[in-house]
Amino acid sequence: MEKIIGKRIQEFRKKKGMTQEELSEVIDISPHYLSALERGIYNIKLETLVKILNCLDCSADEVFCDVVNKSCAVTSSRLSERLEALPAEEQERILAVVDTMINNVKK
């Protein structure tokens, strides 16, 4: 679980365009410690996690979506946001593909 959470933090950090050094300086931890957190070497302290989430402008749901059973809501929300940004015709095309995939799983 630590590796999954660490990887998520790393993804959000990179998405934000920050280096480990920059993030670690803002949240007042060492770059070595942040690197270890991102690799899943250490368990993350709650206080450190909150600082990271706030600095990276991401939610706990986004970071824990791979390890918490209720992650479907986050995934659905992210998918919905991405779909809404597309033209209506593309939305329908994608929904048709998803419907086909869901029907194949049910068989």
Side-chain angles (χ1 to χ4, degrees):
M1 181 169 53
E2 289 83 4
K3 288 183 181 186
I4 293 170
I5 293 168
K7 183 176 169 72
R8 275 277 180 210
I9 290 169
Q10 181 184 53
E11 289 171 3
F12 281 102
R13 176 182 57 76
K14 288 181 176 181
K15 194 177 196 180
K16 185 87 170 175
M18 296 181 81
T19 65
Q20 286 181 337
E21 291 76 17
E22 291 169 334
L23 178 57
S24 61
E25 184 177 328
V26 172
I27 63 171
D28 198 29
I29 63 173
S30 74
H32 174 77
Y33 181 62
L34 178 58
S35 174
L37 289 176
E38 288 185 352
R39 289 180 285 133
I41 305 292
Y42 299 133
N43 288 324
I44 191 166
K45 292 181 181 179
L46 182 58
E47 180 181 351
T48 303
L49 177 61
V50 170
K51 287 179 181 179
I52 290 171
L53 296 176
N54 287 333
C55 184
L56 298 179
D57 295 322
C58 63
S59 70
D61 288 346
E62 291 172 306
V63 172
F64 289 108
C65 70
D66 295 321
V67 294
V68 176
N69 291 336
K70 290 284 189 174
S71 67
C72 291
V74 172
T75 302
S76 296
S77 176
R78 287 172 47 204
L79 180 58
S80 178
E81 288 172 8
R82 293 179 71 187
L83 276 173
E84 286 175 8
L86 298 173
E89 186 176 292
E90 288 298 311
Q91 290 179 23
E92 289 301 320
R93 188 176 64 82
I94 291 169
L95 289 173
V97 170
V98 171
D99 284 340
T100 301
M101 293 173 72
I102 290 170
N103 289 334
N104 284 338
V105 170
K106 288 181 180 179
K107 291 180 181 180

